[in-house]
Amino acid sequence: MTLRTFIKTSTVLASFAIPLVMAVSGSAFADTAPAPADIKKHGTTPGAKYEPSLDVMKNETLEQPGAKEGVPILTKAQFDRANEIYFQRCAGCHGVLRKGATGKALTTDLTKELGFDYLRDFITYGSPGGMPNWGTSGDMTKEDIALMSNYLLNEPAVPPEFGMDKAMASWKTHVPVDKRPTKKMNNLNLDNIFSVTLRDSGEIALISGDTKKIISVIKTGYAVHISRTSASGRYLFTIGRDAKIDLIDLWMDPPTKVAEVKVGSEARSVETSKMKGWEDKYAIAGAYWPPQYVIMDGETLEPKKIVSTRGMTYDTQEYHPEPRVAAIVASHYRPEFVVNIKETGHILLVDYSDIKNLKVTDIEAERFLHDGGFDSTGRYFLVAANARDKLAIVDTKEGKLVDVIESGGVKPHPGRGANLIHPKFGPVWTTSHLGDETISMIGTDPEKHPDQAWKVVQTLDGQGGGSLFVKSHPKSGHLYVDTPLNPEAEISSSIAVFKIADMAKEEPEYTVLPIGEWSGITEGVRRVVQGEFNVAGDEIWFSVWNGKDQESAIVVVDDKTLKLKEVIKDKRLITPTGKFNVFNTRNDVY
Ligand code: DHE
């Protein structure tokens, strides 16, 4: 640092020394802090905790915006530290560019108006509206809170774009198509392989559903999020939070990574073309940053087309600079991908039959679209607009919106949802909620049950809030509901199971499966997450998700008897979360 910048920095910091010192000493909270009686209301809910953490962006080297008069100048080290915190803890809600998403905008016109003290207290205590209480929860130190309050008075850092030049530079072919086998070379029962996310080791484990043995552990992107399988069942795609896609050829002996590519800096979703005649032809991935989706060759991952999702909110028609791409599914009725744009609330039907002359049907749905899945016929797609407590339904055959309905609870989070035949209401699709114990069932059969179609026909009370995934199977008589984010250890480490045959009763009861206890693991929080059926539909697998340095496991339950069938343990099973059965994933069976 030159002498000149040192003097400038220390002078400006000196002018903020009073608030900084007071924040650190904790004595200046009186004017804007909530009354002691209200502090409890500011406690963070499971829903508020489940917001994107842009873990990868925090590692980007960002240019520090120039200082403005009257604003505290941060040193390079302070700026880097503040960026790290911002992307990890704040950007998920307030946006990379601080223009607001589920959380409020934090642009400097607003933050300067609010001032240092207000920002510091808001970060410390949170708000009943959903802002986490970073200070009183002990998650952030007073020094970091003071730093962040100063950081927010500065202009936001703008992370780099990611265009075709970068995508091409990241594209690697490990095994070219002409060097791959022309038939299956191994003795594996591919349909019953589970691809298991090993979240914190940046790997997936391929586990045989027949033998329950690990076939191989494959290095993937950072904090890999989901796996999807190609329509033929030959290829497996994984996406890391660092937007890296890995393509695994399941025909090889052993299954091997054949290509990889990056589609941005942060991403969560990947899917492949499933329409008859287009099997395995294309893949698509959606990014959180930059806000864009990328269409690739399905066998090589060669990036073909990048489309930005920046644009207008569907309702107020105001420009949003960073609408992230949430769930993507592939239509079975048309050569189309169904792409959900989170902050602006559009559902895009992207026609991949001619990507040079790309046709996109743009459906006005609801803001904050997140995750969803098909009804049992594969025709209707239901997606949660979770921060709006709504569900949007799209008819993928007709290519239009059916309806947007209240989900019946607080913050719906279906995963892909669960389809079952209700004894009274016929085919229903089910979602649980992050914000409360409600499990909602929505009628999905407009032909034979028109009165129930697209209505919440019944709600059940589960164990509590903090649920992420529900699961059933056409051959199962049960509905399984997890609660991994519930604050009660007993609830987060167990599963509630409802008997479908009992659902016509006034108040159907559930059985609790103590999966965490069954795992035999005695350390850690033992969060039990995401059930997934095997190909036969007679057993369901749950992850017992512990810390990175602790023991985790997969627990297999017999669907008929609800008894423990097997515990899969292996020191390579580090933080297992999502599990994707090849057959069920490619055929959308859930
Ligand atoms: Fe996920 C699906 C986003 C945190 C496990 N998650 C999805 C989808 C989205 C999403 C958009 C739908 C993808 C699709 O269908 O194309 N998830 C996010 C986030 O933004 C969030 C809240 C925070 C983040 O920073 O990533 C987040 N997700 C998590 C977790 O912490 C979970 C529980 C553990 C993990 O491995 O990261 C988790 N998400 C999953 C799983 C699915 C998923 C297992 C797929 C469920 C399925 O059955 O298809």
Side-chain angles (χ1 to χ4, degrees):
M1 192 188 293
T2 63
L3 183 64
R4 204 168 148 260
T5 52
F6 174 72
I7 293 168
K8 207 167 142 204
T9 308
S10 41
T11 318
V12 180
L13 276 179
S15 65
F16 276 78
I18 296 173
L20 267 168
V21 170
M22 281 159 62
V24 173
S25 71
S27 59
F29 291 172
D31 36 5
T32 41
D38 288 340
I39 285 182
K40 243 173 110 189
K41 290 189 205 145
H42 289 232
T44 307
T45 59
K49 277 190 186 144
Y50 193 68
E51 289 293 346
S53 165
L54 303 186
D55 269 354
V56 185
M57 305 271 294
K58 81 178 182 350
N59 301 326
E60 294 268 356
T61 312
L62 300 179
E63 205 175 309
Q64 187 165 359
K68 295 249 168 83
E69 221 187 304
V71 169
I73 295 176
L74 304 180
T75 64
K76 176 80 176 72
Q78 286 172 324
F79 175 72
D80 289 347
R81 168 82 187 136
N83 274 328
E84 189 184 322
I85 297 173
Y86 185 78
F87 287 117
Q88 197 165 17
R89 306 223 189 250
C90 322
C93 290
H94 298 286
V96 167
L97 303 172
R98 303 200 335 227
K99 297 260 169 83
T102 44
K104 292 203 165 65
L106 292 171
T107 41
T108 49
D109 52 330
L110 302 166
T111 57
K112 283 185 196 161
E113 187 82 12
L114 296 168
F116 177 93
D117 286 6
Y118 181 95
L119 295 169
R120 178 203 54 205
D121 291 353
F122 208 71
I123 300 171
T124 304
Y125 295 102
S127 78
M131 167 77 179
N133 53 334
W134 296 113
T136 47
S137 66
D139 287 332
M140 273 170 75
T141 62
K142 286 178 178 174
E143 288 77 8
D144 277 345
I145 291 172
L147 171 65
M148 293 314 288
S149 311
N150 279 329
Y151 171 81
L152 294 176
L153 296 166
N154 278 273
E155 293 303 319
V158 181
E161 296 295 319
F162 197 97
M164 191 52 98
D165 54 338
K166 288 190 183 169
M168 285 306 277
S170 73
W171 177 43
K172 288 189 193 128
T173 307
H174 301 298
V175 184
V177 175
D178 59 4
K179 296 271 179 321
R180 294 181 203 163
T182 49
K183 59 180 177 28
K184 183 162 91 78
M185 301 305 286
N186 54 50
N187 294 324
L188 300 166
N189 175 9
L190 298 191
D191 274 352
N192 205 24
I193 288 179
F194 287 69
S195 173
V196 179
T197 295
L198 304 178
R199 193 191 185 287
D200 293 353
S201 67
E203 294 170 323
I204 54 139
L206 296 180
I207 304 184
S208 161
D210 300 342
T211 64
K212 318 282 190 290
K213 296 266 177 296
I214 296 180
I215 300 162
S216 54
V217 172
I218 299 174
K219 202 94 212 118
T220 56
Y222 170 80
V224 65
H225 196 199
I226 63 167
S227 297
R228 295 289 186 237
T229 37
S230 71
S232 73
R234 171 176 183 172
Y235 290 111
L236 181 83
F237 298 76
T238 66
I239 184 135
R241 280 179 168 76
D242 55 358
K244 180 165 167 270
I245 299 175
D246 287 291
L247 176 64
I248 294 154
D249 184 353
L250 297 175
W251 278 9
M252 292 173 74
D253 189 19
T256 303
K257 193 157 82 176
V258 292
E260 64 180 72
V261 72
K262 259 171 78 77
V263 295
S265 320
E266 280 273 352
R268 300 292 183 274
S269 49
V270 64
E271 181 57 301
T272 79
S273 50
K274 288 190 175 164
M275 178 67 190
K276 209 163 181 293
W278 297 89
E279 294 93 340
D280 299 13
K281 178 122 179 73
Y282 286 118
I284 182 171
Y288 271 16
W289 184 270
Q292 60 194 26
Y293 59 86
V294 180
I295 300 174
M296 293 151 280
D297 183 286
E299 290 191 302
T300 65
L301 294 185
E302 180 183 354
K304 296 282 187 192
K305 190 160 196 107
I306 304 181
V307 184
S308 171
T309 56
R310 291 186 170 107
M312 301 303 198
T313 50
Y314 87 94
D315 45 1
T316 55
Q317 309 207 16
E318 275 167 301
Y319 181 70
H320 198 291
E322 49 173 305
R324 299 165 201 163
V325 179
I328 303 181
V329 294
S331 168
H332 299 275
Y333 285 86
R334 298 167 173 222
E336 283 178 346
F337 292 120
V338 182
V339 181
N340 295 272
I341 313 300
K342 199 185 264 280
E343 282 76 12
T344 49
H346 296 261
I347 300 178
L348 307 178
L349 305 181
V350 178
D351 181 339
Y352 53 73
S353 63
D354 179 4
I355 62 168
K356 280 249 175 282
N357 302 284
L358 195 72
K359 285 193 279 305
V360 178
T361 305
D362 186 333
I363 296 175
E364 294 178 9
E366 182 53 280
R367 290 204 211 180
F368 308 117
L369 300 168
H370 190 76
D371 55 349
F374 285 108
D375 75 311
S376 58
T377 67
R379 171 172 173 174
Y380 299 99
F381 171 68
L382 298 94
V383 57
N386 57 11
R388 289 280 159 98
D389 304 336
K390 296 235 168 83
L391 298 169
I393 303 139
V394 171
D395 179 348
T396 62
K397 187 172 174 199
E398 297 295 328
K400 58 182 192 197
L401 184 75
V402 176
D403 209 348
V404 177
I405 60 169
E406 297 287 337
S407 73
V410 181
K411 225 172 173 186
H413 193 285
R416 285 169 289 174
N419 287 296
L420 48 102
I421 307 293
H422 191 284
K424 206 156 137 199
F425 303 119
V428 297
W429 179 90
T430 307
T431 182
S432 56
H433 291 79
L434 262 165
D436 65 16
E437 69 284 7
T438 311
I439 298 146
S440 300
M441 287 185 248
I442 293 98
T444 57
D445 182 7
E447 299 285 312
K448 296 204 189 90
H449 297 84
D451 292 345
Q452 279 81 34
W454 322 125
K455 293 192 182 101
V456 175
V457 293
Q458 186 175 4
T459 57
L460 307 170
D461 286 349
Q463 294 201 84
S467 176
L468 290 177
F469 303 105
V470 284
K471 191 69 73 175
S472 193
H473 185 279
K475 292 199 185 128
S476 169
H478 295 118
L479 170 70
Y480 296 82
V481 185
D482 73 7
T483 30
L485 299 186
N486 193 285
E488 300 290 328
E490 233 171 81
I491 297 180
S492 68
S493 67
S494 60
I495 292 288
V497 191
F498 290 88
K499 219 170 159 182
I500 295 170
D502 287 350
M503 281 177 183
K505 289 184 182 163
E506 192 71 14
E507 274 184 35
E509 286 179 358
Y510 57 79
T511 307
V512 175
L513 307 183
I515 303 285
E517 200 183 305
W518 283 354
S519 72
I521 298 171
T522 47
E523 61 177 345
V525 285
R526 301 184 307 187
R527 287 186 207 289
V528 173
V529 68
Q530 204 243 12
E532 175 78 341
F533 271 89
N534 63 345
V535 64
D538 59 9
E539 64 187 30
I540 180 163
W541 294 28
F542 292 98
S543 302
V544 180
W545 173 22
N546 243 338
K548 195 177 173 183
D549 304 319
Q550 294 166 322
E551 190 177 33
S552 288
I554 289 169
V555 169
V556 182
V557 175
D558 185 307
D559 176 61
K560 286 269 161 328
T561 62
L562 299 185
K563 296 258 181 314
L564 171 67
K565 206 164 168 182
E566 193 150 339
V567 178
I568 308 175
K569 278 191 189 167
D570 189 298
K571 61 177 181 334
R572 292 171 293 172
L573 283 184
I574 298 164
T575 57
T577 52
K579 296 159 298 304
F580 305 90
N581 172 273
V582 167
F583 181 88
N584 294 338
T585 305
R586 80 180 152 104
N587 293 302
D588 290 304
V589 178
Y590 34 79

